[in-house]
């Protein structure tokens, strides 16, 4: 079965909005055994959308359209698709009830154009929107199935998973399906990872290996095409074991939604350990990154941002004479920052960051020179020297990722 995704919205063509919906929908459809052959973006223009629908019908069994279901005059997806298949638009009573309840609760005046969001294509199945107001439609006409979804990802994702996906599973049962497993790696670049796994990649059949480079990390998606779930999981287990034999030292977690900071926080919780930080060049970015994880207060009570030599001495109690002699961009400074932060916060671990974010040199050190200290209760404090390149933001983000990696390895007692 062939499918394609059409994203509707001039803002996408102008680069004002990133089309993350296509990525999400492609993965979801692949899980259903439905292969996506085309991604297309078209502006809010009914003539161009009509032309695209004619082309799409010739090559695809399922056409998923996202965007253009809202209340404004440029939201013309439903009108255009309905006219194309010669159906009318009708009001969905469930969507109308939800709309009225929303405006009653919010105590805002409802303008007439909001009623457009309650319209669906006559003869189709209404796809309810659990987080928004625009109802979708699933309809088949002349051997082509159309699925209309809203554009905002916070509406489209739950709407698809809760309501559209079950309909597609019922409408298009597949003898085979794709199942995937995502492995996440830190400390190894994509080129090195691919080199280490060259033999596995060159001989892959089913399951397959797909590497993806992301900022400061690499992921591998292992995918099996199977008719039996148990067999598929065994295939993925065998391939994962082969991957781990070669690059397992860099592995830190699973899944698209996982992250190094979440895995690190979960490890601290699991082992009942606490962490603090003393930051210079990262200026609180590490602590802010921790704060993005729900429940982090169990393991993180606070830390220090000491950007200057004066605040390092005043807030952390570091000897000014040492700072004067060794400099702030030094192993000695990173060690002292980590040790003092851990003692002051009475934490099990402390990480420190000091260095040159750039673009200019500092203390004769080039931009990207970073010392990261790690203090652990009952263990000698260590500091590692890193040389990051690219821009200021990338250097600071890279330092944070390395700090998380050091903590995770220390908590899990990994080399």
């Amino acid at each position: 079965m062939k499918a394609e995704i059409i994203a509707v919205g001039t803002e996408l063509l102008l680069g004002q909005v990133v089309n993350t919906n296509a990525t999400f929908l492609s993965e979801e459809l692949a899980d259903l055994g439905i292969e996506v052959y085309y991604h297309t973006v078209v502006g809010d223009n009914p003539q161009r959308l009509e032309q695209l629908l004619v082309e799409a019908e010739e090559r695809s069994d399922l056409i998923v359209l996202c965007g253009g279901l809202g209340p404004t005059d440029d939201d013309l997806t439903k009108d255009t698709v309905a006219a194309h298949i010669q159906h009318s638009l009708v009001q969905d009573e469930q969507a109308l009830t939800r709309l009225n309840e929303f405006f009653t609760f919010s105590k805002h005046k409802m303008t007439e154009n909001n009623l457009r969001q309650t319209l669906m294509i006559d003869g189709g199945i209404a796809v309810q929107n659990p987080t928004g107001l625009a109802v979708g439609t699933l309809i088949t006409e002349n051997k082509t199935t159309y699925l209309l979804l809203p554009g905002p990802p916070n509406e489209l994702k739950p709407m698809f998973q809760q309501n559209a996906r079950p309909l597609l599973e019922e409408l298009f049962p597949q003898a085979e399906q794709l199942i995937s497993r995502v492995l996440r790696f830190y400390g190894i670049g994509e080129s090195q990872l691919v080199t280490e796994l060259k033999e596995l990649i060159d001989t892959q059949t089913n399951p397959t290996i797909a590497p993806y480079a992301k900022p400061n990390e690499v992921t591998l998606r292992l995918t099996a095409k199977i008719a039996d779930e148990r067999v598929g999981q065994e295939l993925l287990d065998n391939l994962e074991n082969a991957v781990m034999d070669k690059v397992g030292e860099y592995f830190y977690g699973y899944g698209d939604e996982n992250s190094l900071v979440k895995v690190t926080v979960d490890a601290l919780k699991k082992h009942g350990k606490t962490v603090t930080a003393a930051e210079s060049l990262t200026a609180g970015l590490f602590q802010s990154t921790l704060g993005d994880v729900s429940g982090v207060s169990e393991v993180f009570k606070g830390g220090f941002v000491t950007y200057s030599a004066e605040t390092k001495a005043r807030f952390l109690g570091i000897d000014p004479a040492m700072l004067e002699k060794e400099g702030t961009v030094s192993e000695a400074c990173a060690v002292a920052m980590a040790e003092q932060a851990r003692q002051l916060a009475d934490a099990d671990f402390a990480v420190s960051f000091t260095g040159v974010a750039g673009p200019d040199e500092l203390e004769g050190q080039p931009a990207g020179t970073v010392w990261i200290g790690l203090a652990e209760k009952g263990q000698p404090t260590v500091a590692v020297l890193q040389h990051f390149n690219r821009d200021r933001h990338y250097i600071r983000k890279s330092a944070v990722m390395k700090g998380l990696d050091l903590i995770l390895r220390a908590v899990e007692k990994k080399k």
Side-chain angles (χ1 to χ4, degrees):
M1 181 176 185
K2 298 178 182 179
E4 71 177 90
I5 299 166
I6 298 176
V8 183
T10 302
E11 68 278 5
L12 295 167
L13 293 174
L14 294 175
Q16 297 171 341
V17 175
V18 178
N19 185 17
T20 58
N21 288 334
T23 302
F24 167 78
L25 290 169
S26 291
E27 292 177 349
E28 289 287 323
L29 292 171
D31 285 343
L32 296 175
I34 300 172
E35 296 187 68
V36 176
Y37 280 63
Y38 301 96
H39 284 182
T40 314
V41 179
V42 64
D44 300 306
N45 183 292
Q47 289 77 33
R48 296 190 192 115
L49 178 55
E50 165 66 22
Q51 180 182 355
L52 183 54
L53 289 171
V54 172
E55 296 173 5
E57 285 177 342
E58 295 296 319
R59 62 196 184 198
S60 301
D61 307 299
L62 171 65
I63 302 172
V64 182
L65 299 102
C66 43
L69 305 189
T72 61
D73 290 340
D74 61 353
D75 290 313
L76 298 171
T77 300
K78 279 186 283 196
D79 306 72
T80 305
V81 175
H84 176 73
I85 62 175
Q86 298 181 357
H87 284 239
S88 59
L89 293 175
V90 294
Q91 197 164 65
D92 178 66
E93 291 302 319
Q94 187 173 339
L96 178 61
T97 299
R98 180 175 173 80
L99 181 75
N100 288 328
E101 289 175 348
F102 171 81
F103 279 99
T104 299
F105 180 78
S106 65
K107 295 182 170 53
H108 292 158
K109 181 179 179 181
M110 185 179 75
T111 56
E112 190 71 18
N113 60 354
N114 274 287
L115 292 172
R116 291 170 55 86
Q117 299 184 88
T118 68
L119 297 178
M120 60 170 289
I121 300 176
D122 190 23
I125 301 172
V127 183
Q128 299 301 327
N129 187 339
T131 58
L133 300 175
V135 67
T137 305
L138 179 69
I139 186 168
T140 301
E141 182 71 21
N142 297 327
K143 297 183 179 180
T144 302
T145 299
Y146 304 85
L147 173 61
L148 281 64
L149 300 169
N154 64 328
E155 295 183 27
L156 179 143
K157 290 182 179 181
M159 187 173 177
F160 183 90
Q161 291 173 327
Q162 295 178 32
N163 297 323
R165 179 172 175 140
L167 292 172
L168 292 175
E169 287 179 312
E170 182 178 349
L171 189 61
F172 303 113
Q174 302 293 312
E176 291 186 315
Q177 62 176 321
L178 298 178
I179 60 171
S180 295
R181 184 178 302 173
V182 175
L183 312 180
R184 305 182 76 102
F185 300 85
Y186 173 80
I188 185 171
E190 183 184 23
S191 58
Q192 184 185 350
L193 186 73
V194 169
T195 299
E196 297 289 338
L197 299 177
K198 186 178 188 303
E199 183 179 350
L200 292 176
I201 293 173
D202 288 347
T203 58
Q204 64 180 325
T205 52
N206 183 30
T208 58
I209 305 173
Y212 299 92
K214 297 188 176 184
N216 295 292
E217 64 176 302
V218 185
T219 64
L220 286 180
R221 181 176 293 277
L222 314 183
T223 303
K225 189 172 187 179
I226 46 84
D228 184 289
E229 174 80 15
R230 182 185 60 81
V231 173
Q233 293 299 341
E234 289 179 358
L235 289 172
L236 293 179
D237 287 342
N238 292 336
L239 181 56
E240 179 184 332
N241 289 336
V243 168
M244 291 302 188
D245 284 343
K246 296 180 179 295
V247 292
E249 64 184 293
Y250 303 103
F251 170 80
Y252 76 82
Y254 296 94
D256 283 316
E257 302 303 320
N258 222 337
S259 65
L260 186 55
V261 64
K262 185 177 185 306
V263 171
T264 302
V265 170
D266 288 345
L268 288 164
K269 290 180 180 179
K270 175 184 174 182
H271 293 278
K273 302 297 184 179
T274 56
V275 66
T276 187
E279 301 184 65
S280 185
L281 84 155
T282 46
L285 182 60
F286 177 84
Q287 296 172 69
S288 174
T289 302
L290 286 181
D292 289 336
V293 180
S294 176
V296 73
S297 57
E298 293 180 33
V299 298
F300 175 62
K301 298 178 181 179
F304 308 85
V305 177
T306 55
Y307 214 68
S308 67
E310 290 77 13
T311 53
K312 289 177 177 65
R314 187 183 309 163
F315 295 172
L316 294 172
I318 297 175
D319 183 1
M322 185 276 288
L323 293 174
E324 178 69 25
K325 177 184 177 183
E326 302 289 344
T328 58
V329 185
S330 66
E331 179 180 13
C333 181
V335 167
M337 288 174 66
E339 287 181 344
Q340 290 297 102
R342 196 198 66 74
Q343 291 176 19
L344 289 168
D346 191 23
D348 296 298
F349 293 94
V351 64
S352 65
F353 304 89
T354 184
V356 191
D360 301 322
E361 291 186 355
L362 178 65
E363 299 178 357
Q365 302 291 330
T369 303
V370 179
W371 281 98
I372 304 174
L374 180 68
E376 179 182 356
K377 185 181 292 186
Q379 297 294 327
T381 301
V382 298
V384 295
L385 175 63
Q386 301 289 301
H387 294 283
F388 301 117
N389 54 20
R390 303 189 193 179
D391 58 38
R392 182 180 177 87
H393 174 76
Y394 185 85
I395 291 168
R396 296 171 70 237
K397 179 65 176 177
S398 297
V400 168
M401 291 287 285
K402 182 61 179 179
L404 290 167
D405 180 62
L406 289 174
I407 294 170
L408 180 60
R409 288 178 180 275
V411 174
E412 299 285 6
K413 303 303 179 187
K414 296 179 180 179
K415 293 183 180 179

